[in-house]
Structures are given as C-alpha cells and as structure tokens.
Amino acid sequence: MQVKSILSLFVAFSMLVPTIATAAEASQGVGGLSGTVAPKLTMFDYTGGGGAARAHALQRYNYQKSWFGNNISGAYLDLDLDLAYSDGEGTSLSLERRGDGLTNQAGQVRFDTDKVGVSGYYNHHRTVAVGIDYITRPNNMPGGTDTSYTGAASGYVARFNDDSNGSFFRIDRTNYGAGAKLKRALLGDMASLSVNHDGYRRVGNTYATYVAGGSDFGANSQSVRWRGYDRPLNETMDRGSIGFAASPMGLFQFAYDGSFEKFVSRAQNYRMNDFAGPVAAAGFAVGAAAKQNALHFIPDSTLTAHSVRLSKTFAKASLAAGYGMSVLGIDSFTGQQVAAAYSEGKIASRNFFVNGKVRIVPSVEAEAYLKYGNRRNDSTFPAGTLLTPATNEKLDMRLNTLKTVEYGVAATLRPTGSKSSLAAGWKRLTKNRGFTLNTNAAGAKAERMLYEGDSHTNEVYLKGTARPTDGVTVHLTPSYEWSDKVGSPIDAKQAVNLKADAIYATADGKLLSVYYGYKDKRNGALDYTGGTTAAPTYSVGQNLRSILHSAGASLSAAVTTKVNSSVSLDWTQNDFQSDYITSDIRRYTAAAIAFRTRERSSSVIDTFSLGLATDWQTTDALKVSGGYTLSRSKGNVATGLVATELGSTVDGAVDNDLHSLALGAEFAFTKALSLAGQYGFDHYKDNRYASLTGSGHTVTTSLAYRF
Amino acid sequence: MTCKNKFIIATMFSALMSIAFVSRTAAQETCTSCHDAAAASHAIGKHGKLDCTKCHSGTEAHLANPGPDTRPAKPDAAACQTCHMKDARRMNWEFSDHSKAGLACTECHGNHTPKAAKGVDAAAKFKDSSSKLCASCHKEVLARFSMPSHHPVKEGALSCVSCHDPHAGKQASLAGKTEQCTKCHQSVRGPHTMEHPPVSEDCTICHNPHGSPNRKLLQVAQPALCLQCHSLTDLRHAVTGTANGRISGAVLRNCTACHGGIHGSAFDQHLRY
C-alpha cells in the first residue's frame, strides 16, 4: 500500500476517534448495540423440472447453487445479519444482510444522526427464465415447426434453426448504491441535500431469435431464415443523482432533483454474417447487403434528468406543482446507422403537473389537477436509405411526438368527526400522437393500421370509504370510462370498473378481508379499410372486449393464545375476446388489399391461489409452524380456428399448478440463542409443457444469536 | 481513483461523521417516568430525541389526570407532517392515493420502532418488510405475485417500493409508466431507429408488471395480444403463402419467435431483429 493511502486512512481514522468515543459513552446509556446473527445451512435437491443443468422450472426466479457448483442438488452456507447500534440520542447505525446463497442475497447499511445520513445497499439475484424459453424453442416443441412447411416456396419461414452453442441461460443482476444526506438540522432547519449513486451490473446469457429477410440468404431460403442463437449480456448502469429540498422561511416546500445516468452494453453485438457458417452448411449464403445487419443491437445510452417541485399548504388549502425534463440519447451506433448518417438517437421529455385542493366547508374538500407530458423524438430523420418515408419498408410510422394531457376535478365529503368519506370525480385523458407515415405509393398506409392520432378518454368515478364501526373498513370504487375519440385498440371505447374491499380487524388481532374487482372494457371503434387508398372498398372492424374478475378473501386470527393461523383464497379470471383478422397481401403494396375476419377468438384463463399457514408456540421454548400454498392457472389461449392450430403445439392452453409446503420449528435455548429448521417441498406440474414438471426439496437450518 | 481523491473523500467523510455527533437535546422525561416500554422503544428509534408532545396531542389532560380515559391521541398524518412535510419525498403526500384514502402515517410506519405487518397470510412471504406491509392491504396485487410469471418480489430481487412511491400519487408524478420501467430495464429503452409505438407509449399495454399466467408478464397470451392491433398477412404467414391459406400453430404460437425485436430495432422495420 502506498504511503499516501496509509496516510489517508490514518487521518480518516483519527478524525473518527472522537466520534467512536462519543458513541461508546452513549452506548452505556439507554442505547447500545442490538441485533441478530444467524448463520444457516441450506440443502436442496430437485428432480425433473426442465433441462436439468440448464434451467429448472422451480428455479426460474429462485435459483440455488451448491458450494460444489451444482444447481440440482447440494448445500451451501450463508449468514443473515441484522445489527443496530444506537447511542440513545438519535444516532444510529444499522447493518442488514439477507443471504440465500451465492445467487440470491441482499444487504444494506445505514448510518443516521439528526444531521447526516449515509447509506449503502446491494442486491444480487439470478433468474433462469430464458432457459425455460430455450427449452420451449420451436424446434423442440411438438408443432413448433409445422411439417407442412416443406421448404422451398412454402410460406415465408419453413423451419426453425438453432445455432445455440450450449450456453447456460441465466441472468445475474447485481444492484448497488450509496448515498449521503445532509439533513435540515445541519442546514439551519431550512434545507437538505442528498447525493446518491445507484447502479447495476447485468450479465449472463439469453436466447434470441430472428427471421432474415426474403433476399438475405438468397432465393428459396425459407428453411434457413428462422434462427435462434446464444446472446450474451454484459450491461452496466450507473446513475449519479443529487437532491435538494428547502423550506425557505417555512413559506413553501421546494425540491430539486437532478440525475445523470449512463447505460453501457459490453456484450458482443451479433450480425447476420456471424451465422454465415451454418447458413452455408445448409446450402445458402448470407448476401452481401445482409452481412452487416445488426441482430438485436443494444445501444449504449445516456439519460439526464432535472425536475423541480413546489408545494404549499395553507390552513384550508394545498397546492403542488412540478416540472421535469429529461433527455435520452444513444452513444453507440451500428455500422449501418453510421453509413446512413444516423448520428443522433434522442428522446426529449417534458412533464409538468399542478394540483390544488381546498376545504370548502369543514366536511367538504374539492380538488383539481392538470398533468402534461410531451415525448419528442429528436433522432436523426430521415437517415439515408436506413430510415426514410420515401422508400417502402424503410418506415411504417414514426412517432415524432406523444403529448398527453390529463386533468380532472373531484369533491370529497368527509363528515366532521367521521372516518368515512365519499369522493366523486371526473377526469379526462387526451393523447395526441404526431407521426410521419410512409409516403411511397407502396408504403404502409394509415387505413391499413389500427393506430390513429388522437385518443380522448373520460372517466367518472366514486370513491367511498366507510368505517361504520371500530375495526371495519369498506372501500367501494365504481367508475365508468368512455372515449369520444379512440386512437388505438387498447383504448376503452367504454369500460365499467368496480373495486370493492372490506376489512375487519379486531383488537385481539383477528383480521378478515375480502375484495372484488371487475373491469369490462370494450372497443369496436377501429377499422381496417380494404381496397386502395384511392378506391377504398369496405371496412373490417376489430371488436375487442376484455373482462377481468378478481376476488379473494383472507382470514388471520389467533386461534388460541399460542396458535396463530391464516387462510387466504384468491381468484383471477381474464376473459379476452378479439377478432382474428387476416389480409390477403401485405400492407406494403399499392395494390388493393382485402381484409377478412376469420373468426372471433377468446382467451379465458383462471388463476386460483390458496394459502394456509399456522404457527404454534407449543412451549416457551418451542415454536412450530406450517404452511401450504397452491397456485393454479388454467385456461385456453384461444378458441376456434386459432385454438385448433395451436392445439398441434403446447401453447393452446395454460394448465399448471404449483404446490408449496413448508414445515418449520424453532427452539429457543435461551432468550439469546435459538435453533430453527425448515423443510420446504415444492412441486410444479405443467400439463402443457410436461418437461417442466418437477419437484424440489429444501432444508434450511439456522442458528440465531440475539443480543 | 487516485490516492489524492481517496484522501479527500476520506477526510470529508470523517468530517461529516464528526459533525454528526455534536449537540443533542434532552428528551422529555415526564412521560417516560410511567411509560417504560415507550421510553425503551423511543431510545432506539429515529424519534428518540423528540418531545412526546411533539406528536401526541392532548397530553395536558392526561398529565393532569393520568389514566386510559385521558389517553393522548395517536398522531395523525397532520402531526407527522409538521416535520415530514419538508421532506422532498413526502411534500406531495396531500395528493397521494394513500392520503385520499384517509390513511394515517401510523398505518404503515411505527413511530417508535419499525412496524411489523399484521394479518399477512402464507402467500405473502416476501423477503423484505416493506412489501409485507403493502401486501397486508393490497391483496389483489399480492395474488398476482403467485402467478407463474411475476416480478421476483417474493424472491427478494426487488420490493414494492422499488417501483411505487407510497407518499405520492400519479397526479403528482413527473415520470410516465415507460420511464418508470426503464429505470431498471434500460436495454429496451433505445431510443431505437425503428420503434414499436406501444413500447414508446406505455409498457403496461402489453405487460402486467405484478404477475400474469402468461409468459413474460404478458397481459394476454400470444397471439391474441398481438392480433388485437395487427392483422396477419396470408402472403407471409400462411403455410402456402396464398390468400386465405392456412396459418399454422407454428406461426401463431409465439409471434415474437420471429419478431424478436419487439421493443425496437436498429435496422428492421418489421422488428424481426
């Protein structure tokens, strides 16, 4: 270590000595060091469930890795920490760590006084969801590649080609950050200042698919166009931010936030030519013009953002306003972008809001708000032959601006002395999309898309809260939406919504809650127009309806003074109906096009979940617990013709369930020392993707020392 | 980082720590002479130095005639705001959905020590304490985290408060939904040469961030999700490439198997890569 480094550490330590001494003295008072240290040993074993070493369905979001490098069976040691130090006079230091193995852990440290705060955190987590996608790749699924595709002159893509080299598909994400805050007590009770750094690193391998263009691999190349390959990830994001808040003379509150964020992708960017080998092996060749085609290019980017907010609270009124702006720009370009002089990828956003609330009479409050947003695409346009409205298939539509204006009024009746309230309100959302369409005679035409410039949606609603008696709370929120201008299929031409819930809590800890949600959204206001632009023939409308039900009930209670139990049941149903519409030719042609509604198809999927849990303090020293959860999803992805076709694959329906059983016991040797053990059994059954069916056993033992 | 920079940072950090331990005020002792438990919990909490009357109103009557009948009121949101209104993160509390629902700060926060979630059922075994608290009320959202595809909140990768600010509402937000999502998912934000308009408008058009029975958090399974906005061209999607020809399950099962650049592309208008 260099002399200067030693010197800096010495100076830092010497300046901290008074601090440590002060804290040590204080710890002899009412404060002190407290916490829990819990080393633990986890053993696990999985059977079935997917591609063994590649990805186990049960490890999709909860990957476990043995110290011996195996993710199917093994063991690992870890440590949970929860430490807190307080000097009893407002100064505290806390350190927490949660460890569930090398691939799932988190920690944070925080130091606070009344004048400053310093904190840091990290979180590391692995997912293998992409591995499950790989298992279900088209050429590994019944029907994934239709045998009717015989190759040359058969449709556009004949079969799927897997160029994977056997990577382990996983994504490791590590979030980290640190910050410091100078609190108001340090700055004359008028202002606070914070500085933070947040970031993450995301590394791993994913699976990407693509389809080459009609001439990219030469004539009659249907059998080799559709491909998949291992796509590495290596990304970092670092964001520095500063926040300043002040209350000048106590007159109003002011806050400024600014940030500078840099995203960098260091992984290899593949081009079509990187797969020239397997294409050639199949008897085709990557064309000269296609060699540089970038596959799933991820640009580096920089985001800068600034915002100011003001708020003021009067005796009977409150006001709040804010303005924010951001600029997102890309910092790296593909060879084709450079060749086309596409030198700027830039999105500028501006937002502001103003909110006001006034108490008209003691029991009635009125409020109004306005919110505005403007997203502007300032990227290079047009850009050579890469992006131009003059050439067919070089631009369908460019969204130049997206302006949203939302405003509304509401009144709330809250009788004096009552905890119940009723609010009635109206709000309106308008979206204005400024876009450029292709101008080529053969280019994509507006009447062949279901996307228009303006959306105007209104909503009236009631929000009721009733607390008729101690412990009972009821919420009821019905609303009705309608659009006087529909701009996209996802708009609600009309929608009826209802949210209701009731909670009953008793003084002895019983808690009963029920809820119900309903949303019925319809939109049949958008059409495709057949024929040509000059001579339209007839319209074919898309008719959408989406009905969403959700309901549930839960009860938790102390059955006896030593037994606590809970039960919950939830149900969600998504019923989505739309028309299956085809056209005889592509929209990229000047010729007359014919749209046709093949049929009406619906997708209805139900999801149930059941949870049971209990814990029993059998003796002063021994506590046992048990829990069981079931989550079941079942339904059809489509009906009719689409369902018939999907029936040849595994994707025609969703049909799976997950059972989880947890049994635990904790024995306290003393108040300070306890030993806990937990056994978990999980079983995932997938009746469609049978290879994903599997089970897992996990045993965790931990020794907790509290002080 | 150079040694000089390390020295400066270490010195500044040390100076901050030293400043932090300067003068403190004494807590009121009248209340703690009876309320031992409160005295102990106050001592380790962030409100350790505060006078009890700063938060609890009605203490005069209680001091004059101690007993349960004259118990001082628990602090409501207004009492907390006398100090916390000045926090940047809480200055728009008045316009938040939680405020409009009549919630008091104490329903989520323990004034003396961190609040433990009550009535949390077996399905709510989150690894972080704040998500447990959220789940004790938002049961409908909790149910979605049990669906086959979900954000790994239960598994500890993130927390409800990673995305939601419980102290502010949508009316007083300066970020759109897409901007909220791309605070973590930068790789899909582009800006792309070829954009997919719903990606620019709102991620939740296609994805349900809490959970879904469909893969990749999709609101509706493919192909229905895509077919609500797009017609299928027989020329490209039918087996024989002819008008009104059969479109097989191989094409219908997963639109993004071919249109893999669904979030945007640097080159391809058809979003295939």
Side-chain angles (χ1 to χ4, degrees), chain A residues 271-325:
Chain A
R271 299 163 302 159
M272 271 188 191
N273 197 45
D274 292 316
F275 302 100
V279 171
F284 297 89
V286 179
K291 285 183 177 178
Q292 300 305 315
N293 286 359
L295 300 176
H296 302 297
F297 175 71
I298 298 177
D300 298 345
S301 57
T302 300
L303 176 71
T304 54
H306 305 273
S307 71
V308 290
R309 290 176 293 142
L310 294 166
S311 75
K312 170 69 179 173
T313 302
F314 303 93
K316 293 183 179 178
S318 300
L319 280 171
Y323 174 79
M325 58 176 290

Side-chain angles (χ1 to χ4, degrees), chain A residues 453-675:
Chain A
D454 294 313
S455 297
H456 299 168
T457 308
N458 303 276
E459 183 178 2
V460 289
Y461 60 87
L462 291 173
K463 283 186 181 178
T465 301
R467 293 182 173 88
T469 182
D470 277 355
V472 176
T473 306
V474 179
H475 296 111
L476 188 66
T477 309
S479 69
Y480 176 69
E481 287 178 66
W482 75 98
S483 295
D484 40 54
K485 193 156 183 58
V486 172
S488 86
I490 57 96
D491 289 347
K493 177 61 181 171
Q494 54 184 334
V496 176
N497 310 305
L498 174 68
K499 290 179 79 174
D501 66 68
I503 299 170
Y504 173 54
T506 65
D508 61 353
K510 291 187 181 67
L511 187 70
L512 170 67
S513 71
V514 294
Y515 69 86
Y516 175 69
Y518 173 77
K519 182 164 191 169
D520 183 349
K521 186 172 87 168
R522 302 174 191 215
N523 185 359
L526 294 169
D527 300 327
Y528 295 106
T529 303
T532 64
T533 304
T537 50
Y538 55 90
S539 296
V540 172
Q542 174 58 286
N543 190 8
L544 296 159
R545 186 171 185 192
S546 171
I547 305 170
L548 183 68
H549 296 274
S550 55
S554 66
L555 171 67
S556 61
V559 180
T560 70
T561 54
K562 294 185 176 180
V563 178
N564 289 291
S565 298
S566 70
V567 57
S568 65
L569 181 65
D570 299 277
W571 165 65
T572 303
Q573 184 188 73
N574 193 358
D575 180 352
F576 182 83
Q577 301 161 29
S578 67
D579 289 339
Y580 171 30
I581 301 171
T582 60
S583 62
D584 58 342
I585 56 174
R586 298 197 303 162
R587 60 190 179 192
Y588 309 102
T589 174
I593 191 171
F595 288 97
R596 177 186 174 208
T597 302
R598 294 276 185 109
E599 65 172 358
R600 185 156 184 78
S601 184
S602 72
S603 165
V604 183
I605 298 176
D606 292 274
T607 302
F608 299 90
S609 59
L610 167 70
L612 303 168
T614 192
D615 60 67
W616 177 24
Q617 190 76 45
T618 57
T619 66
D620 287 345
L622 181 64
K623 182 179 183 179
V624 295
S625 61
Y628 168 76
T629 58
L630 164 66
S631 178
R632 174 159 179 72
S633 293
K634 187 173 183 181
N636 57 293
V637 166
T639 56
L641 195 58
V642 178
T644 301
E645 294 294 347
L646 288 178
S648 64
T649 76
V650 295
D651 293 310
V654 171
D655 188 359
N656 57 66
D657 44 53
L658 173 65
H659 304 261
S660 297
L661 174 71
L663 301 172
E666 182 175 7
F667 184 80
F669 297 102
T670 67
K671 277 190 174 180
L673 190 65
S674 64
L675 178 68

Side-chain angles (χ1 to χ4, degrees), chain A residues 119-121 176-180 195-198:
Chain A
S119 61
Y121 69 90
Y176 48 82
V195 181
N196 292 281
H197 174 260
D198 299 278

Side-chain angles (χ1 to χ4, degrees), chain A residues 2 5 12 15-16 19 60-61 86-87 89 91 98 100 104 111 113-114 116 123 125 133 136 141 143-144 146 148-149 154-156 173 182 184 186 200 209-211 226 235 237 239 253 261 263 272 293-294 296 301 309 311 313 320 328 330 336-337 349 351 353 355 357 367 371 375 386 393 395-396 414 431 433 451 490 513 515 528 542 544 550 554 556 574 581-583 585-586 588 595-596 598 605 631 633 637 645-646 651 656 689, chain B residues 3 7 10 14 16-21 23-24 43 46 49 83 85-86 88 91-92 94-95 100-101 119 121-122 127 139-140 143-144 146-150 155-157 170-174 179 183-184 186-187 189-191 193-195 197 200-201 205 213-216 219-222 227-239 243-253 256-258 260-261 266-267 269-270 272-273:
Chain A
Q2 295 179 12
S5 296
M15 293 185 75
L16 274 174
T19 302
R60 186 176 195 167
Y61 304 116
S86 170
D87 72 346
E89 296 186 0
T91 298
R98 172 188 60 77
D100 290 299
N104 187 353
F111 172 78
T113 76
D114 55 349
V116 300
N123 180 305
H125 192 262
D133 283 348
T136 60
M141 274 291 119
D146 197 304
S148 302
Y149 290 101
S154 178
Y156 190 72
R173 186 182 184 111
L182 305 181
R184 283 183 292 119
L186 187 67
Y200 69 74
T209 57
Y210 69 96
V211 168
W226 191 13
E235 301 165 355
M237 186 283 289
R239 181 192 307 127
Q253 278 71 52
E261 176 185 308
F263 171 77
M272 271 188 191
N293 286 359
H296 302 297
S301 57
R309 290 176 293 142
S311 75
T313 302
L328 170 65
I330 60 174
Q336 290 160 322
Q337 288 173 326
S349 298
N351 300 281
F353 69 81
N355 285 239
K357 183 190 275 189
E367 69 168 309
K371 193 175 166 186
R375 177 191 188 273
L386 174 69
E393 296 188 58
L395 176 80
D396 277 8
R414 186 173 282 123
K431 286 186 182 179
R433 306 173 183 91
Y451 197 59
I490 57 96
S513 71
Y515 69 86
Y528 295 106
Q542 174 58 286
L544 296 159
S550 55
S554 66
S556 61
N574 193 358
I581 301 171
T582 60
S583 62
I585 56 174
R586 298 197 303 162
Y588 309 102
F595 288 97
R596 177 186 174 208
R598 294 276 185 109
I605 298 176
S631 178
S633 293
V637 166
E645 294 294 347
L646 288 178
D651 293 310
N656 57 66
Y689 299 86
Chain B
C3 287
F7 177 78
S14 303
L16 273 176
M17 297 302 103
S18 301
I19 291 167
F21 281 91
S23 68
R24 298 174 180 85
K46 292 179 181 175
K49 291 176 65 180
C83 293
M85 193 67 179
K86 296 172 183 174
M91 59 188 278
N92 293 328
E94 280 291 316
F95 300 99
K100 289 176 185 175
D121 49 55
K127 291 185 186 292
K139 302 286 186 184
E140 184 182 348
R144 288 209 161 257
S146 294
M147 291 183 172
S149 178
H150 58 264
E155 291 80 1
K170 296 168 194 159
Q171 289 178 202
S173 168
L174 289 169
E179 288 165 323
K183 279 179 77 175
C184 292
Q186 278 85 352
S187 62
R189 74 182 178 186
T193 308
M194 308 296 181
E195 292 188 319
S200 306
E201 280 200 29
I205 290 173
N214 310 306
R215 285 195 280 170
K216 297 185 183 297
Q219 299 274 15
V220 178
Q222 297 184 53
L227 293 177
Q228 65 178 311
C229 296
H230 296 278
S231 61
L232 274 186
T233 305
D234 300 324
L235 185 66
R236 283 289 183 268
H237 299 94
V239 172
N244 299 325
R246 174 185 161 235
I247 299 176
S248 82
V251 168
L252 291 167
R253 70 179 287 258
T256 53
C258 293
F267 176 76
Q269 179 61 70
H270 308 296
R272 295 169 300 191
Y273 44 82

Side-chain angles (χ1 to χ4, degrees), chain A residues 42 81 142 353 512 702:
Chain A
T42 301
L81 283 176
F353 69 81
L512 170 67
S702 65

